[in-house]
Each structure stands twice: as structure tokens, then as C-alpha cells.
Amino acid sequence: MLRSPHALLLDFGGVLADAPPQPPAPPELVRRLAHLVDGAVSDRRIAADLAEGARRYSAWRDDAGRAADPVELSHSRVWGEFVTRSWPAPAREAVDREATPLAYAWTWRADWAVRPGIPDVLREATGAGIPLAVVSNTLCGAAHRDFLAVAGLAESFAAQLYSDEAGPRKPNPRLALSAAEAVGVPIGRCWFVGDTLGRDVEGARRAGAGAAVLMRSPRTDREPPRPGVVPDARVEDGHGLLALLRQARGPAA
């Protein structure tokens, strides 16, 4: 049985929220970019470069996850290195000036939904005086913050740490360590809950978290095997996490 946590560190995508995959070149974003560059790049090329940029950024994230201490790229670098590098200079400069709001638009999902059981977990932890923190790799943490606010969940969290704001990317242990520090709990008394072995469980292990809990999501099933990376517990959703938390806290809870 796991020791009862003094804090919960929770991933965003795959744990707090999920959404169906979106097209790699969302039509609204293509139109926004087309307007921004004022015809210097065709809509067809924008869509193709967005799709290719999404693929290349995804590959970069996978490669970074195998590094010792990965750090996030700036919004400007993501656009400049993965999407606009072959565009005319005025178009590249126009996108660079709007790199952050464009990153927000690329990150935001209109169909994000809170995962089943998560509100119950947050209420249980808050009622027990267990602080909560979000610990997430993302191109734009502001989009995640806004979703949690719209969903009525933001006030549950004592801290929200996102890779584009903090710098380190999971499995870099500094992201989890910073979250533990932000909530005032030693990392060894924190549970880290994520949906990937390579980023979340490995990151939790490197940081020295008290427990690494794997919550299954579609991404979990697509992840390549990680020999030797084993979570302390596996759950299907927030309902499973709530049951695990109650079991660890015991009958007195």
C-alpha cells in the first residue's frame, strides 16, 4: 500500500483533461496566419507547414524526453524552427511578433473535457488539506490555465507549473521539484500522477517523488515500452485515483 500523500502533483493532458486529437493544421489557425502574413504565404502552404511543423515539434519533444535535463523551447523558436523557417522574411517576422498568442491558439482545444472523477479527487484532497499542483509539458501553459479556470477547477490548485513558463520539461526533475517547493511539501511526500512512463513516471523517479502513479489515457497506449520504468500504481481515471487516495489515507479518512 502506498503511503498517504502530503501533496498531489498532477499532469494536465491525460490526467486532468483530455480532448480528441485535432487536425495538425486547424482551419481557424490557418486563417489567422494567412491574415497575419497578408498573402505572403498561401493558405495551402500555411496548412502544409503547420502540419509538418506539428510533426517535427512532436519528434523534437520525443528526442528531448531522452535527454538528461530537457528544457522547453521558446514560442518564437517553435514557430521559427518548425513552421516558418522557409517563409519570406516579412512573414517570419510577423509571426515572430505574435509568437505567444499564436502558441496559445495552437495549444487551445475547444473540446477539452475534464476527465471522469477528477473533480471528486480535487474536492477530496482539498478537504483533507492536501495541496495540489499542475505539472505539465506544454507549448502554452496559459491555455491550460484558462481551461481550468473556465472548468471551475483553478482555485483547487496551489500552484501550476508549465514547461513554457518554468523552463524544464519532464522528465527533467526540476519541474516536479519546483512544484513540490511551490506547495511547501518535500518531494518525497508527494504523489506524482501522469499518463506516460517516459515523461511522468521517469520524471517522478528522477525527482524522488514519494510515489509515481500512471493514469491511463490514449497516449499511454501509444507510448513505446520503457523497460525498467515501473509506476507504483496504475489507475484508469480520476475514480481510480480517488479510490487509491482513500485506500492510502485509511479508514480514519
Side-chain angles (χ1 to χ4, degrees):
M1 181 182 296
L2 300 181
R3 292 177 63 188
S4 180
H6 288 200
L8 292 178
L9 312 181
L10 303 160
D11 191 15
F12 178 86
V15 173
L16 297 176
D18 252 336
Q22 75 167 6
E28 289 187 7
L29 184 55
V30 172
R31 288 193 292 270
R32 181 168 175 173
L33 286 164
H35 177 76
L36 185 64
V37 303
D38 195 24
V41 183
S42 71
D43 289 16
R44 178 176 293 182
R45 182 176 174 188
I46 290 171
D49 287 347
L50 266 177
E52 177 61 13
R55 186 196 66 77
R56 293 178 63 224
Y57 182 46
S58 177
W60 176 86
R61 295 196 303 266
D62 289 342
D63 288 343
R66 291 187 282 270
D69 297 302
V71 295
E72 187 60 80
L73 299 177
S74 69
H75 300 153
S76 290
R77 285 191 63 186
V78 171
W79 287 106
E81 294 185 14
F82 299 130
V83 180
T84 68
R85 61 186 305 171
S86 65
W87 292 10
R92 294 199 310 270
E93 292 163 4
V95 171
D96 186 69
R97 287 192 294 270
E98 296 294 317
T100 293
L102 288 170
Y104 183 106
W106 209 6
T107 302
W108 178 263
R109 302 289 189 270
D111 50 4
W112 265 328
V114 177
R115 290 207 63 185
I118 285 299
D120 297 328
V121 172
L122 303 187
R123 281 192 293 269
E124 180 96 2
T126 301
I130 299 172
L132 304 163
V134 182
V135 185
S136 177
N137 288 348
T138 180
L139 173 62
C140 188
H144 294 190
R145 289 178 186 277
D146 285 353
F147 171 78
L148 293 174
V150 170
L153 303 180
E155 292 185 359
S156 299
F157 295 98
Q160 296 186 45
L161 280 83
Y162 298 107
S163 59
D164 72 308
E165 300 170 356
R169 280 183 59 85
K170 298 176 294 184
N172 189 326
R174 286 190 289 143
L175 201 58
L177 289 168
S178 295
E181 182 178 359
V183 300
V185 175
I187 189 68
R189 301 308 302 269
C190 299
W191 284 9
F192 192 105
V193 185
D195 68 328
T196 65
L197 292 171
R199 295 172 187 172
D200 296 310
V201 175
E202 178 66 21
R205 293 283 183 249
R206 292 186 190 180
V213 179
L214 184 70
M215 183 182 291
R216 186 181 179 188
S217 79
R219 183 165 47 189
T220 313
D221 296 336
R222 296 193 302 266
E223 187 179 19
R226 295 277 181 166
V229 182
V230 180
D232 296 293
R234 296 173 182 262
V235 297
E236 289 294 314
D237 54 21
H239 298 303
L241 180 59
L242 179 61
L244 189 67
L245 179 60
R246 287 176 172 171
Q247 181 185 46
R249 296 186 62 227

